[in-house]
Amino acid sequence: MNTIEYGQGAVNNTIGWGQGAKEGAPSFSNLKSIDLDGVDDMVDCGNIKPTGAMTISYWFKGKSTSGSVTTLGTMGSSGQRGYLLGISNTNLWAFQIASSATAVKSLIYTLTIDNTKWYHIVGVYEPSNYMRIFIDGVQVAEVTSAIPSSQYVGNSITTKIGSRGDGGAFGRFVGNIDEVAFFDSALSPSDISAIYGSGVPTSLASLNPLSWYRCGDGDTAPTLTDNGSGGNNGTMENFSTFSTDVPT
């Protein structure tokens, strides 16, 4: 939007007038995303395994029409799962937590995707208490019964963006993904509403993400820098360019 408001430093390409300059504070703008082909594109994010509460957040545009399960921002595979937030069959979005290799709790929400639109999706897990899905800042699904008391973290499978954790050909995402973040806490509804804002990504730094991938902004292929505290830089596999299609 490129308006000018003096004093606050650029936030989403705006500069705020009259609020006093935040000296030394970096500007925040979102100009890039990753565009996955659904064939073999993915990002390996290494070992992101919170052992307690967690929140997964990302923006996406488009959907896969091939395969019965397409996942993104996930870890694990059949028989070795920890957490998953992605598409489970056409228009069904699944948030899953596994407390063992076979005991998986799933929360499903039906969302008919407009392939021309960006969406913000969040999964929140509070051990033994609840699992929630938020779409565009609004809670759309919750389950409070039989919630696992812990995640299954006993395997060596790494977290992937655009694929299930083992990187197998079964289930690949087709489309754009942006601002992927993992938190080792259960974010509140007000935090999630603030992340969504008006539909334009903003800085997540104040929420202390464990891992946070800008998906092109400040990155040099093939590395997606981890802007959180986890130190888990992502590695782009089978693609090397960034898209300029971003949430606006």
Side-chain angles (χ1 to χ4, degrees):
M1 85 185 138
N2 297 323
T3 59
I4 299 182
E5 302 174 298
Y6 276 76
Q8 108 177 0
V11 178
N12 295 331
N13 296 329
T14 69
I15 303 176
W17 292 74
Q19 298 179 9
K22 297 182 180 179
E23 187 172 343
S27 63
F28 183 91
S29 63
N30 184 57
L31 302 175
K32 297 178 181 179
S33 67
I34 55 175
D35 186 0
L36 306 178
D37 66 5
V39 178
D40 58 4
D41 293 354
M42 69 182 81
V43 179
D44 190 330
C45 298
N47 189 5
I48 306 176
K49 297 180 180 178
T51 57
M54 75 174 300
T55 302
I56 305 172
S57 166
Y58 59 84
W59 300 76
F60 71 92
K61 178 182 180 182
K63 70 175 182 180
S64 172
T65 57
S66 62
S68 61
V69 178
T70 301
T71 59
L72 56 154
T74 110
M75 183 193 75
S77 64
S78 179
Q80 276 193 318
R81 286 182 279 192
Y83 56 83
L84 175 155
L85 181 62
I87 305 171
S88 174
N89 292 316
T90 304
N91 296 325
L92 296 180
W93 286 80
F95 182 37
Q96 297 181 329
I97 297 290
S99 58
S100 71
T102 57
V104 181
K105 183 67 175 182
S106 299
L107 177 60
I108 305 293
Y109 177 69
T110 301
L111 175 66
T112 301
I113 303 297
D114 177 349
N115 290 356
T116 67
K117 177 183 175 181
W118 278 92
Y119 297 86
H120 181 239
I121 187 167
V122 176
V124 182
Y125 162 62
E126 177 63 46
S128 301
N129 291 322
Y130 59 80
M131 292 167 58
R132 296 169 175 167
I133 294 176
F134 292 75
I135 300 290
D136 291 348
V138 177
Q139 182 177 313
V140 295
E142 180 182 48
V143 61
T144 59
S145 61
I147 305 304
S149 60
S150 64
Q151 296 176 46
Y152 179 58
V153 294
N155 65 67
S156 59
I157 295 175
T158 58
T159 297
K160 301 291 197 304
I161 300 173
S163 164
R164 71 183 192 185
D166 64 2
F170 180 75
R172 294 286 175 80
F173 181 75
V174 180
N176 294 74
I177 300 176
D178 202 7
E179 301 294 330
V180 179
F182 300 83
F183 302 83
D184 53 1
S185 61
L187 294 188
S188 69
S190 60
D191 287 334
I192 294 166
S193 177
I195 293 175
Y196 176 69
S198 59
V200 179
T202 58
S203 176
L204 304 179
S206 65
L207 296 173
N208 302 312
L210 175 63
S211 290
W212 172 25
Y213 304 99
R214 301 290 323 278
C215 296
D217 292 280
D219 296 322
T220 300
T223 300
L224 296 189
T225 302
D226 185 352
N227 293 276
S229 61
N232 291 296
N233 286 349
T235 301
M236 301 161 64
E237 299 184 359
N238 305 311
F239 73 111
S240 60
T241 59
F242 299 108
S243 170
T244 56
D245 188 349
V246 296
T248 55

